[in-house]
Every structure is written in C-alpha cells, then in structure tokens.
C-alpha cells in the first residue's frame, strides 16, 4: 500500500492564485509555494500568477513585495534563502473578475509562452464561498479552463445539501470530477495520514479497531482564538459548518474506513464515502450548540445572533465494524486550549481482582490518543502496578512523537502537501462530490431545526450540557 507523494516533479505549470491579496494566501499559500520551491519539489519551470478584482489590483512589483512580506512573516523557509530570487522572478499579477478576464488571459498566455510547450494550469480559488460559482463560470466562459487544467476549491463547499448540489452542478459544467480538488488542509497533515499507517501497517492495532474492543471515539478540535475579526464570514457560517461538517467528519472517515485495496485515490475515497454512507442522520437531541459570552458584542456580529461558536455532535456509523460505537465531535472558539486530538476509548477488562485497589481514575485510561496538530504524536494511556508492597494501579503513557522521531525539516505543511498532490493529479486526500453531498444530507436535521445556543465562558470547555452529552464517558480534554 503505497502512494507516490510527488516523488517525481510535477509537469510544468501555470498556477493562478485567486484571492492572492487575502489572508489565506498571505498566511499559507504564498509561504507554502516558496517552501516547495526551496525544497525542489515544484516543476522545473512554472509561473505563479496572483489575481484579485480590479479594486485590489497590484503591480507585479507590488505583488512580489507582498509575497516577500508573507514569506518573511509566516514561511517555514525565509526570503534570505538563496533560492528566493528564482521564486520571486516567477511571480506576476493579473486582475480578474466575472465578466472581465482579459488581463488574466493575457498574463496566462505570456506565462505559457515563457515556459514553452504545453504547461498545465492550476487554479486555486482562495476566495469567499459566495464567489465560487461566478469564478468557475468566468474560467469556463473565458476559455481558461480548457484542456487538462485543474481547480482547487476551498471550504466550505456549500452551506447545505441544496447549495452543495448546485455548486457541484456549476463546477461540473466546466470541470469534470477528475480535475476538481476540494481542499481540506486537515487531510494534508502528516499525522492524519499517519492514521492509515498506524492502523493498516501494524498487526497489533487493526484487529482491535472495531466495536468489539472500542467503546467510543472522540475527535476534538477546540481553539483558544475568538472569531478574530471574521464576523462577516463566521456569523453566517457557525462552528458546525466551518469545522465539523468540513474538517472533523473528513477525519472520521479516515478513522472509521475499511482497508482500501490501495492508497490510490479511487479505492481510498471509495472507502471514505462508504463511511459517510453509513452515518445516521444527526439526532438534534445529541447536539450541543454553544456561544461564548461576549460574541454578540464582537464588531460585525448581528444583534441577537443565534450563531454557534462551539458545536458538539454525537455521530453514529451504522455498519458492521462500528455499530453501537458513538463518535463524539467537538470544535469551538474561545475554549480552554487549542488542540487537535482523536481519542479511542477501549473496553475495560473485568477488574474484579483489582477492585479493592483500583482508583476512580481507572476510567481515564485504556485509551489511544492521536494528536494530529503539527507535528503530531500518538500515545497509549494504560494502567500499571505502582511500585510497593500492595497491588495498587496507576496510570502511565507511552508516546510516539514525530518531532522526536524524524527530521521535521523534511515535513510539508498541510496546504503544501495538498497543492503538490493537486499538481500531480492525485486526488486521494481531497473530498469527492458524493461524499460532500452525503455529509450535508445527514446534517439536514440539525440545519433545519437547530437547538438554541447555550452560553459558555471564554476559556472554558463549553456549557455543562457538553459533559452530559458524552455521559457515561468523559472527554479526554482537558487532560487533568
């Protein structure tokens, strides 16, 4: 079971970065492209064209300065690297907006002439979701989407089932599915992909990865940050659409899938979509929506907003492997820590022989904990005998850490890895249209009749109902 993560360089490319003046491009995409360049992973010849509407127009010199500033502040590799001039000279800028793609067409033609031959085109839509349909239409109407060009589309892909279906129709009118890359940077993480290696490459774990041995699964992504001035987007989206349906369910697909026949895109995504097909529609009785105190006073938030800043759901995968095992998914803003953790709780053995000495904390152990925040780790928490004359149990932990075990200088950040895979045409870590639609389908009960939001204090772990939802189990976080 192998996947070639661009061990060979991609073909020559013209990369068009829509939304090039935005926050995502500044923090992730431009620094990521330079890191790939410095590592020698980009094509032998390529051009990067930043693009934005005319109201955000930059000259080529201004865009190169913008890119340098972004790389200086957020890059893994900085502009003082000797490879910077070679990257900088490949950067240019063009304006484009629906109904007016002439400038971009001219700059793309010039870039292709400089490269020579027939370079591929890769369009990255780092633009607000409301602009996806019009931008796709512009690419189709202008002829820029011709041939073997590909498109990367950011999340969220739709806001419900109807809008996701409409967006898929608009996309498929211009690009067939083999050229569409719906990006979820969580799936580009080394530690998320390592779930597959951990499960399927080790005979110790796969035999117990099922309902006979696992009692519950948690996928927990709290954040300490508030909405950070993103009120226009966030108040119309909320934590469920922003994080759970877009990121956490994708991770659930990796945790719960059956072994694929290979790690090629087709078999891998087939198994992930089978998991989504087995998900029961959400039961709103098993959902908590929270809102941190003070959210309604954030600049740009609507008065009396009912938008959730934290969402917790209990999901059920109703198939042979997972029947009866609850999956608890939680994410929120202004919470007690910023973490990205998967916890698998194993069934407790009969402890009759230890009953007199087993501490109340026994239930906190017998867990495998996968921390998929970069650089990532996997730990096993279990019980051992405490040294001394009595048989007394105590908890301990064994941990594998990427940072301590491998040269992290070789690692790629999630966006970097996914952009590289898109350039090679490998869709294995990108979401498929039927999978996206299925997740919105099982979300319909919650979206149609959401329970009211409950207040929680910033820096806490949510309202008290979060603990009641998971009972009789407990959240791994907080760990104390």
């Amino acid at each position: 079971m192998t996947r070639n993560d661009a061990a060979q360089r991609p073909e020559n490319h013209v990369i068009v970065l829509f939304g090039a003046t935005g926050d995502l491009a500044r923090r992730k995409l431009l620094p990521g492209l330079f890191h790939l360049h410095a590592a020698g992973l980009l094509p032998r010849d390529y051009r990067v064209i930043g693009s934005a509407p005319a109201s955000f127009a930059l000259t080529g010199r201004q865009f190169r300065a913008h890119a340098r500033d972004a790389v200086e502040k957020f890059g893994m590799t900085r502009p003082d690297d000797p490879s910077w001039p070679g990257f900088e000279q490949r950067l240019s800028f063009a304006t484009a907006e629906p109904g007016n793609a002439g400038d971009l067409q001219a700059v793309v033609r010039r870039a292709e002439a400089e490269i020579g031959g027939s370079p591929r085109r890769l369009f990255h839509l780092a633009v607000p979701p409301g602009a996806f349909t019009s931008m796709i239409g512009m690419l189709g109407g202008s002829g820029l989407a011709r041939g073997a060009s590909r498109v990367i589309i950011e999340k969220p892909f739709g806001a419900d089932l109807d809008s996701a279906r409409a967006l898929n129709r608009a996309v498929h009118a211009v690009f067939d599915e083999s050229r569409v890359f719906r990006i979820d940077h969580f799936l580009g993480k080394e530690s998320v992909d390592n779930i597959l290696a951990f499960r399927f490459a080790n005979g110790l774990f796969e035999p117990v990865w099922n309902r006979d041995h696992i009692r519950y699964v948690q996928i927990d992504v709290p954040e300490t940050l508030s909405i950070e001035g993103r009120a226009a987007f966030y108040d119309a989206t909320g934590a469920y659409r922003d994080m759970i349906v877009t990121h956490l369910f994708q991770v659930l697909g990796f945790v719960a899938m059956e072994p694929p026949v290979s790690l090629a895109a087709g078999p891998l995504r087939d198994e992930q979509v089978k998991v989504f097909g087995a998900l029961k529609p959400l039961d709103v009785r098993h959902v908590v929506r929270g809102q941190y105190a003070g959210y309604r006073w954030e600049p740009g938030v609507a008065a009396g907003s009912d938008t959730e800043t934290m969402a917790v759901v209990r999901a059920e995968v109703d198939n042979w492997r997972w029947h009866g095992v609850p999956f608890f998914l939680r994410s929120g803003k202004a919470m007690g820590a910023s973490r990205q953790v998967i916890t698998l709780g194993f069934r407790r053995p009969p402890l009759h022989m230890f009953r007199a000495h087993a501490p109340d904390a026994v239930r906190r152990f017998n867990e495998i904990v996968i921390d998929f925040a970069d650089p990532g780790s996997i730990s096993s928490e279990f019980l051992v005998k405490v040294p001394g004359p009595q048989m007394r149990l105590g908890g301990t932990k064994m941990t594998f850490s990427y940072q301590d075990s491998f040269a992290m200088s070789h690692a790629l950040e999630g966006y970097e890895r996914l952009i590289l895979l898109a350039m090679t045409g490998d869709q294995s870590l990108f979401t498929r249209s039927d999978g996206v639609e299925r997740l919105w389908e099982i979300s319909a009960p919650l979206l149609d009749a959401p329970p009211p939001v409950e207040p929680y204090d910033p820096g806490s772990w949510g309202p008290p109902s979060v603990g009641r939802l998971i009972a009789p189990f407990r959240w791994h976080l907080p760990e104390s």
Side-chain angles (χ1 to χ4, degrees), residues 115-152:
I115 294 172
S118 301
R120 283 189 175 271
R121 296 175 182 175
L122 177 65
F123 302 101
H124 194 136
L125 303 189
V127 297
F132 290 162
T133 299
S134 60
M135 297 299 288
I136 292 289
M138 180 199 70
L139 291 173
S142 64
L144 287 166
R146 64 163 175 79
S149 58
R150 299 175 176 128
V151 62
I152 296 175

Side-chain angles (χ1 to χ4, degrees), residues 156-463:
F157 194 90
D160 53 27
L161 180 58
D162 288 343
S163 61
R165 285 174 171 168
L167 181 53
N168 273 327
R169 287 193 296 269
V171 170
H172 291 153
V174 177
F175 296 91
D176 63 68
E177 181 65 19
S178 67
R179 297 190 288 140
V180 180
F181 294 77
R182 299 170 190 82
I183 196 167
D184 172 9
H185 68 274
F186 272 39
L187 297 189
K189 291 173 174 287
E190 293 279 4
S191 48
V192 170
D193 209 21
N194 195 37
I195 296 169
L196 300 179
F198 183 71
R199 282 188 60 186
F200 300 131
N202 296 289
L204 179 63
F205 301 111
E206 175 55 25
V208 299
W209 208 272
N210 55 57
R211 59 187 169 89
D212 293 329
H213 300 278
I214 294 176
R215 301 177 73 200
Y216 59 85
V217 179
Q218 300 170 22
I219 304 174
D220 201 3
V221 184
E223 298 179 87
T224 57
L225 297 175
S226 66
I227 61 172
E228 288 192 298
R230 299 168 65 221
F233 166 79
Y234 202 88
D235 203 44
T237 305
Y240 181 78
R241 287 182 172 94
D242 184 42
M243 289 295 296
I244 291 186
V245 76
T246 303
H247 293 313
L248 273 62
F249 271 124
Q250 303 299 331
V251 175
L252 183 152
F254 270 52
V255 173
M257 70 168 57
E258 295 298 317
V261 297
S262 80
L263 294 183
L268 186 67
R269 298 204 298 178
D270 284 346
E271 296 303 333
Q272 188 183 41
V273 171
K274 286 179 186 177
V275 173
F276 299 158
L279 281 168
K280 291 182 177 181
L282 294 181
D283 185 340
V284 295
R285 295 173 299 176
H286 298 149
V287 174
V288 174
R289 297 170 67 239
Q291 186 184 90
Y292 66 78
Y295 170 77
R296 294 175 182 176
W297 287 269
E298 295 272 11
V301 171
S305 172
D306 192 50
T307 298
E308 79 280 357
T309 60
M310 185 211 69
V312 186
V313 303
R314 170 178 170 147
E316 297 181 48
V317 181
D318 197 17
N319 61 13
W320 185 266
R321 182 182 291 264
W322 296 110
H323 177 77
V325 178
F327 286 73
F328 300 101
L329 283 59
R330 176 173 67 173
S331 186
K333 299 288 189 181
M335 297 187 68
S338 290
R339 297 288 300 278
Q340 299 171 13
V341 174
I342 301 164
T343 304
L344 298 101
F346 284 79
R347 296 189 180 278
R348 288 169 50 189
L351 293 173
H352 299 293
M353 68 190 78
F354 300 109
R355 183 173 297 167
H357 305 289
D360 293 337
V362 162
R363 65 192 184 96
R364 289 185 172 270
F365 297 95
N366 292 296
E367 290 181 337
I368 290 177
V369 181
I370 303 171
D371 190 324
F372 61 98
D374 293 329
S377 66
I378 301 174
S379 62
S380 177
E381 303 192 355
F382 55 95
L383 293 163
V384 296
K385 178 186 179 295
V386 175
Q390 294 182 323
M391 176 57 77
R392 189 164 58 88
L393 300 180
T396 191
K397 179 190 294 188
M398 291 190 302
T399 299
F400 153 79
S401 170
Y402 259 110
Q403 190 165 19
D404 298 336
S405 303
F406 295 101
M408 290 308 297
S409 60
H410 298 161
L412 297 180
E413 194 269 346
Y415 267 109
E416 298 167 3
R417 190 155 175 249
L418 293 173
I419 290 171
L420 192 59
L421 291 178
M423 296 178 77
T424 65
D426 185 343
Q427 294 180 303
S428 55
L429 298 180
F430 295 84
T431 55
R432 206 167 70 187
S433 59
D434 53 345
V436 170
E437 291 184 11
R438 174 58 182 166
L439 291 177
W440 286 121
E441 184 179 17
I442 65 110
S443 302
L446 171 59
L447 301 180
D448 292 343
V453 294
E454 304 174 37
Y456 64 95
D457 293 331
S460 71
W461 292 91

